[in-house]
Amino acid sequence: MKSIQVYILCGLILLSCFSCEEEDAIQPNPPLTNLFAPAEGANDLTSELRRQFYLETGCYLLFSDTLKHEYSGVDTYGNVLYDTELLDLTYGINSIVRWAFAFAYLPGYEEKKIAVELLKETVLSALNERHYPYSFLLVDSLKASAWYVEEGALDSEGRWGEFSEQSYYVGTRAMAISISKLRQDPGGFIQMMQKNLITKYLSDDKLMEFYEPGKDWYGFNDYTKEFNSEEDFVQATGILGFEYYEPYWEDELPYLWVYDKNSDLEMYLNKILQKTEEDFKIEYGMYSVVMRKYNIIKQLLIDGGFLN
């Protein structure tokens, strides 16, 4: 009986092998078109400008959020059909951000060429290459609107807010930049963008040691007998964002209002980016915890390529 089962099994294996040989060989799918690059064979001035920019920076260059708009035929009623793909600035694997955008495009080749030169002179010269985006979308102006949902309501019951002028938007696949905003105030524009990138880079896991000394005091807003003075509070926690009120009456306790963690971080970032280390030491050098937190943030910015 066992020998019969073995013969049957061998026969099935051979039969499956013969059927495999008769099937068509698997063919790989054709390579997908890179919609961020100029079309192959396009030799107009704008396409050449985009190719040269990629060769110089490793970043793709866009002047429109339309990545593809190709004729695909007509429907049964004779209407022309197009295969269109738009750039999703908020794209992300786990993204829950909901923004709507409105763009005013740069009108012609000369304006685009000038915009690229301005981008190189300001944004690219200020950023470490590791923080270059996958692509730049350069537009004349950029407006954005957020999707608002009332507390307790369904997402479908939400509404779009008013569109407001934006300087830039940093997305996973592209950094959109308003050239008109960049031209108005290049220095302020770069400082704002750098702080945005730094905030994204400084994740909570990187900041655990920074927050540790004052972790129990963020958000505190009450009377306390824990500290006898502002100096005692700063020395113990290293927190710079707070308000301390001395007792008004003899039997009253000091009142302490401590800002949140983000405010504390922002104060350190402002001082690191806007002041010299010598100036900071003059103001806070007597506080060992403050100096330790200062050095933590500074080293993180050096490691991240934001400081030399």
Side-chain angles (χ1 to χ4, degrees), residues 84-292:
T84 303
E85 183 171 341
L86 300 179
L87 172 66
D88 182 4
L89 282 178
T90 62
Y91 171 82
I93 296 176
N94 297 316
S95 177
I96 57 173
V97 178
R98 293 192 65 181
W99 288 92
F101 298 95
F103 306 102
Y105 299 129
L106 296 165
Y109 171 73
E110 288 301 324
E111 288 80 5
K112 294 173 183 176
K113 184 178 178 182
I114 294 172
V116 171
E117 291 305 315
L118 179 62
L119 179 72
K120 291 178 182 178
E121 293 169 3
T122 55
V123 176
L124 294 186
S125 64
L127 294 182
N128 186 293
E129 288 187 12
R130 74 171 78 175
H131 299 297
Y132 285 7
Y134 181 74
S135 67
F136 283 101
L137 170 62
L138 303 188
V139 293
D140 184 52
S141 65
L142 163 67
K143 292 183 178 181
S145 169
W147 180 256
Y148 292 99
V149 180
E150 297 290 339
E151 185 176 353
L154 298 175
D155 183 73
S156 59
E157 297 173 330
R159 61 180 177 80
W160 289 108
E162 294 292 328
F163 277 87
S164 60
E165 197 82 25
Q166 304 293 316
S167 297
Y168 62 87
Y169 183 88
V170 180
T172 304
R173 301 202 297 173
M175 179 188 291
I177 291 182
S178 166
I179 294 299
S180 60
K181 286 285 189 180
L182 177 58
R183 187 178 289 116
Q184 287 173 12
D185 181 14
F189 187 103
I190 296 304
Q191 188 176 52
M192 181 171 55
M193 176 177 287
Q194 282 182 324
K195 187 177 290 187
N196 180 284
L197 294 172
I198 288 171
T199 302
K200 289 177 180 292
Y201 164 74
L202 293 177
S203 54
D204 286 342
D205 60 314
K206 291 187 177 75
L207 294 169
M208 289 180 62
E209 186 181 358
F210 172 80
Y211 290 132
E212 180 64 25
K215 65 180 181 180
D216 297 327
W217 290 97
Y218 291 115
F220 183 86
N221 189 3
D222 204 347
Y223 293 98
T224 179
K225 59 180 178 180
E226 189 73 23
F227 309 102
N228 296 319
S229 65
E230 290 187 30
E231 289 75 14
D232 286 348
F233 173 76
V234 175
Q235 178 60 28
T237 67
I239 295 174
L240 301 183
F242 70 96
E243 293 181 34
Y244 185 92
Y245 301 95
E246 296 285 352
Y248 187 77
W249 304 105
E250 186 175 344
D251 58 346
E252 189 179 39
L253 294 174
Y255 193 89
L256 178 64
W257 176 21
V258 186
Y259 305 158
D260 61 16
K261 295 195 299 184
N262 292 333
S263 298
D264 190 31
L265 175 62
E266 185 174 359
M267 292 189 72
Y268 273 88
L269 287 175
N270 286 339
K271 292 181 182 299
I272 290 174
L273 296 175
Q274 298 174 11
K275 290 189 174 185
T276 66
E277 185 168 350
E278 290 71 24
D279 288 338
F280 189 86
K281 286 181 178 178
I282 291 172
E283 189 173 0
Y284 296 102
M286 72 291 292
Y287 302 111
S288 58
V289 178
V290 172
M291 293 309 303
R292 186 164 75 247

